[in-house]
Each structure stands twice: as structure tokens, then as C-alpha cells.
């Protein structure tokens, strides 16, 4: 890794996380790939290394603080942290259980908190943290636990931005709209079409669209930007169509 800046990306085995890894190595970072699903993670990291990209990988859950701390202890420092790992499901309010709520909050909010708290211990010269929230933090049909968790991610972003600003650690969030990944494909075809129809652009975005926004906040030249929520959502957050 030598003189490269070091970026940690969670949920790096596929989707938006993997696109972000590719973008950040292209931008000159050494990237530490983290995911709880070992096989896709290992395959993706091996393919990137075979193409001479500067990456390493760790299979762990962001909710496992000892595993997160052990991973971070192997790094000389962290310059950029991308908290991208999250879970999602679609389901009616009546069918939602307390366990659904707890599990989603545990991963999407507490997991993000754990990795951030451990990472800032090795950001002696400041850094940039990017939390991947969702446009859904504003509203959406049939995923109340996810909406709650992503509103929590936005709140955590703002709280961290205030508390860490004097240490030169900038904390921002991306609020993606519909992006074509396994998370999007986990919804029924009917539900996918229903959601695309509500987009002002009438299209679904690609993981690279989100990686582009993350790369902006990860850039050292964004050192004066903190506490911001950037919607990359085909305009849906403007509220000009029905929710
Ligand atoms: N795809 C969309 O339409 C969309 C829209 C808005 C926001 N987002 C957000 O973007 C981010 C990435 O989503 P995606 O679409 O690429 O999803 P995805 O399901 O394709 O990938 C998520 C990755 O996170 C990993 N992960 C899940 N829980 C983990 C844990 N506890 N520890 C470590 N890794 C874990 C999974 O193994 C997976 O590799 C998420 O935060 C998601 O909420 C996605």
C-alpha cells in the first residue's frame, strides 16, 4: 500500500460496495474490502488483485466488534471509511415483527456505528467517512423497518459530523434511489416496475452511479464538506411524483 491513502469499504463483495472498491482503486486508494459473505468477497478480491489492483479483504460482520477491531488493528491507519453494508426487505407494516425491526437496526445503524467508532481510532490525521443511507429515509411503501434504519443512518451521519469535525474527520451520506443490484432484484418484478414508474427519470440507476458520489466525498479535496446528505436518486427526493 506504501504511500497510497487507505480506504475501507464494507459490503464490498457485490453491488454498490464492489463498484465503489473499483472506483476507489482507480482513484489511487489502497482498498480494504469487508463483507460478511466470504465467497463472493474472496472471488471479487482475487479478481481485482489478479488485475494488479491494491486491495485486501476481510470476511466479517460489521456487527461483530471484536472482529472489526482485529481487522482495523492490522492497518497502519484509515483515511476513508465507506459504511455501505446493509440489509433490506420489503413487507407490509402488519406483517413486520419486532425481530425484523431489531435485526435491521442492528446491521444498518449499530453496525455502521461500530465500524465508525473503531475506525476513528486510527484516523490521526483526519479522514472522510461516507455512510450509504437511502432515499427511502424520507418515505416509501412497505418497508418501515428499512426506512427507520436509514433515517437512523442519516441521524448518525449528522451526529458524527458534529462530534468529529474538529478532528478533521468529515462525515457525509449518500442517499441512493433505485439501483440495479441484488437488493433491488430481491423485490418482485411487479414491485420493481411499480418503483421505476415513480422515478422522474423512469429508470433504475447503476452501482457505478453511486460509486461516483462516494468518490466525491472520499476525495481529499472534499475536506471542507461535512454533515451533507447527497441524494443520487433520479430526482425522486424532490417529491414531484407520488411516494
Ligand atoms: N440497491 C438499491 O436500490 C439501494 C437503494 C438505496 C440504498 N441502497 C443502499 O446501498 C448499500 C448497498 O446496497 P446494494 O444494493 O449494493 O446491496 P447488496 O445486497 O447487493 O449488497 C450488500 C452487501 O452488504 C453485505 N452485508 C450485509 N450485511 C452485512 C454485515 N452485517 N456485515 C458485513 N457485510 C454485510 C452483503 O453480504 C452484501 O455483499 C446499502 O446500504 C443499501 O441499503 C441500495
Amino acid at each position: 500500500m506504501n504511500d497510497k491513502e487507505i480506504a475501507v469499504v464494507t459490503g464490498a463483495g457485490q453491488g454498490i460496495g464492489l463498484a465503489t472498491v473499483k472506483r476507489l482503486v482507480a482513484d489511487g486508494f489502497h482498498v480494504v474490502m469487508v463483507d460478511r459473505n466470504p465467497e463472493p468477497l474472496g472471488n471479487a478480491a482475487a479478481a481485482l488483485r489478479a488485475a494488479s489492483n491494491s486491495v485486501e479483504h476481510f470476511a466479517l460482520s460489521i456487527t461483530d466488534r471484536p472482529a472489526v477491531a482485529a481487522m482495523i488493528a492490522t492497518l497502519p491507519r484509515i483515511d476513508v471509511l465507506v459504511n455501505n453494508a446493509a440489509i433490506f426487505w420489503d413487507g407490509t407494516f402488519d406483517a413486520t415483527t419486532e425481530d425484523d425491526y431489531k435485526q435491521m437496526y442492528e446491521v444498518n445503524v449499530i453496525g455502521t456505528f461500530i465500524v465508525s467508532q473503531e475506525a476513528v481510532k486510527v484516523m490521526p490525521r483526519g479522514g472522510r467517512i461516507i455512510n450509504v443511507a437511502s432515499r427511502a429515509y424520507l418515505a416509501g411503501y412497505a418497508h418501515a423497518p428499512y426506512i427507520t434504519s436509514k433515517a437512523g443512518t442519516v441521524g448518525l451521519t449528522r451526529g458524527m459530523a458534529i462530534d468529529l469535525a474538529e478532528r478533521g474527520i468529515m462525515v457525509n451520506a449518500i442517499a441512493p434511489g433505485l439501483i440495479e443490484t441484488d437488493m433491488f432484484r430481491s423485490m418482485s418484478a411487479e414491485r420493481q416496475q411499480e418503483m421505476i414508474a415513480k422515478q422522474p427519470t423512469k429508470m433504475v440507476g447503476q452501482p457505478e452511479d453511486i460509486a461516483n458520489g462516494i468518490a466525491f466525498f472520499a476525495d481529499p479535496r472534499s475536506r471542507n464538506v461535512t454533515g451533507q446528505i447527497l441524494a443520487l436518486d433520479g430526482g425522486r427526493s424532490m417529491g414531484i411524483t407520488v411516494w
Side-chain angles (χ1 to χ4, degrees), residues 44-57:
L48 284 166
R49 270 193 296 273
S52 301
N53 292 296
S54 183
V55 299
E56 60 188 299
H57 68 286

Side-chain angles (χ1 to χ4, degrees), residues 189-207:
E190 191 184 27
R191 186 90 162 105
Q192 290 178 23
Q193 289 312 314
E194 179 198 324
M195 292 182 98
I196 290 171
K198 288 180 180 148
Q199 294 289 117
T201 55
K202 307 294 178 218
M203 60 167 238
V204 57
Q206 295 302 311

